[in-house]
């Protein structure tokens, strides 16, 4: 199976407790096919945001119906307010996929009775992983890319409602940025491209989990985005194979890199290589359709060199200034022997992990 060489950001999302105490950022997802009794203890990301929430606002959340899109305001001091249902065409933070009565969840029968305390963070994560998966996947008609930008998330009733016996939990989908942090989106998830891409000109490093982490291009990074391509424009009526994607992106990413830097000669002088990560067929069929084209530097050991500074200006490679490449051979005519590539460049490749780099 073809997979991305560099996986997208943390598959976290938020587990939301709409209370007057806190909105918790969820920890790492556990495997979907385990039972809650076999599940490992959730690993905390260490990210938590203490907030104050108006219960009157929270009521709009817990009364929302399947298909509703929800949003809220977050002040500079972390205060959360103005929970409202909005038209899904507007920017929002959550799309409701299901309403669950926690009293009826088989694995937790008896755990959420009248006198039960509100679930703590670990329980909230378990509810997200083991209770929200089915309604979310069903809502998406089975088409949800687990490596895409939309992640399952639960919302529990406000504290006052919980105390009065409300055991309703909303399960839904939350958009995330490439680093896994919650963001906003316009439009319904079913109609959206689930690809987690960055804007042209952004640079990315790897976080501790191996996910893409957008950083300032002045900071050490591995890749700089030079293009974004929706493969449906080229393959409008079918799922392209990895080989077809690589053949198309081999040309498209070189062209994007040349345009980004100012021409063919500028790309050659940069000593950087166009690079891309193709999409696994199952991810494509689930709703991920776009890819980034990048610039990278091969470290000579099937890996990436560390870059600092934008490729459009002065930059270093592994902390050292760029070494100018040798003069280019004249463009060859038909029948001439192939010209040599710059040091560190390789022939066009389409590897088993679905990535490619073009020697230049």
């Amino acid at each position: 199976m073809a997979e991305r060489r560099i996986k997208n950001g943390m598959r976290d999302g938020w587990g939301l407790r709409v209370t007057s105490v806190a909105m918790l950022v969820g920890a790492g997802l556990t495997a979907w096919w385990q039972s809650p009794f076999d599940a490992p203890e959730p690993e905390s990301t260490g990210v938590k945001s203490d907030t104050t929430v108006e219960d009157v606002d929270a009521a709009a959340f817990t009364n929302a119906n399947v298909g509703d899109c929800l949003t809220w305001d977050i002040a500079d001091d972390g205060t959360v307010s103005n929970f409202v249902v909005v038209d899904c065409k507007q920017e929002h933070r959550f799309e409701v996929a299901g309403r669950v009565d926690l009293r009826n969840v088989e694995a937790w029968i008896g755990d959420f009775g009248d006198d039960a305390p509100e679930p703590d963070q670990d329980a909230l994560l378990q509810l997200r992983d083991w209770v929200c998966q089915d309604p979310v996947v069903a809502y998406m008609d089975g088409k949800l890319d687990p490596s895409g930008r939309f992640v399952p998330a639960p919302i529990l009733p406000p504290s006052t409602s919980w105390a009065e016996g409300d055991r309703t939990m909303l399960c839904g989908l939350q958009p995330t940025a490439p680093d896994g942090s919650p963001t906003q989106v316009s439009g319904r998830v079913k109609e959206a491209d689930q690809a987690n891409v960055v804007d042209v000109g952004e640079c990315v490093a790897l976080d501790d989990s191996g996910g893409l982490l957008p950083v300032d291009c002045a900071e050490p990074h591995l890749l700089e985005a030079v293009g974004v391509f929706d493969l449906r424009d080229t393959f409008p009526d079918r799922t392209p194979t990895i080989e077809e994607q690589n053949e198309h992106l081999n040309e498209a990413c070189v062209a994007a890199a040349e345009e980004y830097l100012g021409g063919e000669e500028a790309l050659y002088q940069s000593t950087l290589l166009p690079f891309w990560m193709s999409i696994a067929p199952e991810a494509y069929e689930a709703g991920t359709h776009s890819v980034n084209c990048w610039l990278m530097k091969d470290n000579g050991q099937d890996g990436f060199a560390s870059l600092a500074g934008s490729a459009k200006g002065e930059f270093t490679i592994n902390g050292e200034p760029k070494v100018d490449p040798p003069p280019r051979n004249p463009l060859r005519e038909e029948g001439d022997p192939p010209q040599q590539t710059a040091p560190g460049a390789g022939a066009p490749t389409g590897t088993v992990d679905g990535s490619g780099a073009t020697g230049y």
Side-chain angles (χ1 to χ4, degrees):
M1 178 180 70
E3 298 176 345
R4 296 175 178 81
R5 168 176 273 175
I6 301 177
K7 66 181 181 179
N8 283 334
M10 298 178 293
R11 309 314 318 139
D12 290 348
W14 285 0
L16 304 182
R17 176 183 294 127
V18 185
T19 70
S20 59
V21 180
M23 185 180 320
L24 303 177
V25 177
L29 287 174
T30 48
W32 289 8
W33 56 86
Q34 291 177 304
S35 76
F37 304 105
D38 298 329
E41 288 296 319
E43 297 178 3
S44 175
T45 61
V47 182
K48 183 180 294 186
S49 177
D50 292 331
T51 63
T52 57
V53 178
E54 295 290 339
D55 283 340
V56 64
D57 294 335
F61 254 39
T62 55
N63 292 330
N65 294 313
V66 173
D68 283 343
C69 291
L70 314 170
T71 195
W72 53 90
D73 295 333
I74 305 177
D76 292 340
D77 63 359
T79 300
V80 175
S81 61
N82 297 330
F83 289 89
V84 292
V85 176
V86 297
D87 189 308
C88 291
K89 295 178 182 179
Q90 300 179 29
E91 280 201 337
H92 56 273
R93 302 177 186 271
F94 191 91
E95 184 171 339
V96 181
R99 292 176 59 89
V100 177
D101 187 341
L102 292 176
R103 298 177 191 271
N104 299 328
V105 177
E106 184 175 353
W108 280 274
I109 292 293
D111 288 351
F112 299 116
D114 292 339
D115 298 327
E118 296 178 70
D120 60 15
Q121 183 179 18
D122 287 350
L124 181 62
L125 299 179
Q126 293 292 313
L127 290 169
R128 178 195 64 185
D129 293 346
W130 313 125
V131 178
C132 281
Q133 297 300 331
D134 286 347
V136 164
V137 172
Y139 179 75
M140 292 295 294
D141 298 323
K143 294 185 176 181
L144 178 65
D145 182 1
S147 295
R149 63 184 175 128
F150 296 100
V151 299
I155 299 177
L156 296 179
S159 295
T160 54
S161 299
W162 184 276
E164 294 169 358
D166 186 358
R167 297 297 182 264
T168 302
M169 181 176 70
L170 297 182
C171 292
L173 289 150
Q174 191 164 39
T176 62
D179 64 356
S181 61
T183 185
Q184 300 182 63
V185 70
S186 300
R188 293 193 175 277
V189 177
K190 288 183 181 180
E191 302 166 358
D193 189 337
Q194 296 182 36
N196 218 329
V197 293
V198 303
D199 293 333
V200 172
E202 288 195 64
C203 295
V204 297
L206 295 186
D207 62 24
D208 291 340
S209 67
L212 296 181
L213 178 66
V215 297
D216 189 305
C217 289
E219 301 298 322
H221 60 272
L222 303 183
L223 303 169
E224 183 171 348
V226 299
V228 182
F229 290 97
D230 187 338
L231 294 179
R232 289 174 296 184
D233 295 339
T234 305
F235 306 97
D237 56 358
R238 63 187 177 87
T239 299
T241 65
I242 296 297
E243 291 74 17
E244 289 174 324
Q245 293 181 51
N246 284 338
E247 182 178 357
H248 167 65
L249 293 170
N250 183 45
E251 296 184 4
C253 289
V254 170
E258 290 177 353
E259 180 179 358
Y260 183 75
L261 292 180
E264 180 182 0
E265 182 64 20
L267 175 57
Y268 178 78
Q269 292 297 327
S270 76
T271 73
L272 303 177
L273 302 179
F275 177 81
W276 63 90
M277 290 168 275
S278 49
I279 304 170
E282 57 269 33
Y284 194 94
E285 292 170 3
T288 290
H289 301 125
S290 294
V291 297
N292 275 118
C293 290
W294 311 91
L295 284 173
M296 56 84 77
K297 181 68 175 180
D298 184 359
N299 66 2
Q301 301 175 349
D302 294 327
F304 300 87
S306 177
L307 306 173
S310 172
K312 285 189 170 184
E314 297 294 326
F315 63 93
T316 61
I317 302 172
N318 291 332
E320 299 294 332
K322 172 181 67 71
V323 177
D324 291 335
R328 297 187 69 184
N329 293 329
L331 295 177
R332 61 190 179 95
E333 301 291 340
E334 184 176 354
D336 289 345
Q339 63 183 28
Q340 293 183 343
T341 54
T349 60
T351 63
V352 294
D353 58 12
S355 61
T358 296
Y360 209 78

